């Protein structure tokens, strides 16, 4: 019962930015699967990072940071799943 008194973990601003970037990357990767030109694929993926004011390296670093915290990973995963209509 004591655990129920603790505040529930919440998504941070960084988590929200990560989720938005991930969703856009998923959309672009789904679309670029139809593009044979790897330079065009790379350009579209890079444009997602620019739109979200990040880099691939920073995104991967944040991915690793989120992955080190099981509760945070679960929150982020559920938010992404909810956004694409997957029911957990």
């Amino acid at each position: 019962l004591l655990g129920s008194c603790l505040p529930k973990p919440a998504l941070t601003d960084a988590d929200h930015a990560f989720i938005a970037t991930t969703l856009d990357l998923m959309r672009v990767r789904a679309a670029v699967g139809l593009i044979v030109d790897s330079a065009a694929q790379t350009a579209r993926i890079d444009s997602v990072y620019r739109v979200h004011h990040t880099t691939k390296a920073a995104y991967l670093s944040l991915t690793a940071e989120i992955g080190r915290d099981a509760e945070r990973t679960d929150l982020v995963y559920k938010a992404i799943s909810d956004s694409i209509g997957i029911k957990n």
Side-chain angles (χ1 to χ4, degrees):
L1 288 180
L2 290 177
S4 64
C5 296
L6 297 174
K8 291 186 178 188
L11 293 169
T12 65
D13 289 342
D15 295 338
H16 285 284
F18 176 84
I19 292 162
T21 304
T22 300
L23 292 170
D24 284 348
L25 285 170
M26 291 170 69
R27 288 183 197 101
V28 167
R29 286 189 174 128
V32 298
L34 306 172
I35 300 172
V36 179
D37 180 7
S38 64
Q41 290 177 351
T42 300
R44 287 185 182 208
I45 291 168
D46 287 345
S47 73
V48 170
Y49 294 123
R50 281 192 305 278
V51 164
H52 290 279
H53 308 287
T54 192
T55 64
K56 181 178 181 179
Y59 176 82
L60 293 176
S61 177
L62 185 54
T63 302
E65 178 186 322
I66 291 168
R68 286 190 287 273
D69 180 337
E71 282 186 17
R72 186 175 179 195
T73 300
D74 189 51
L75 282 173
V76 169
Y77 175 79
K78 285 180 180 175
I80 292 168
S81 295
D82 288 349
S83 295
I84 60 174
I86 295 175
K87 302 297 177 204
N88 293 322

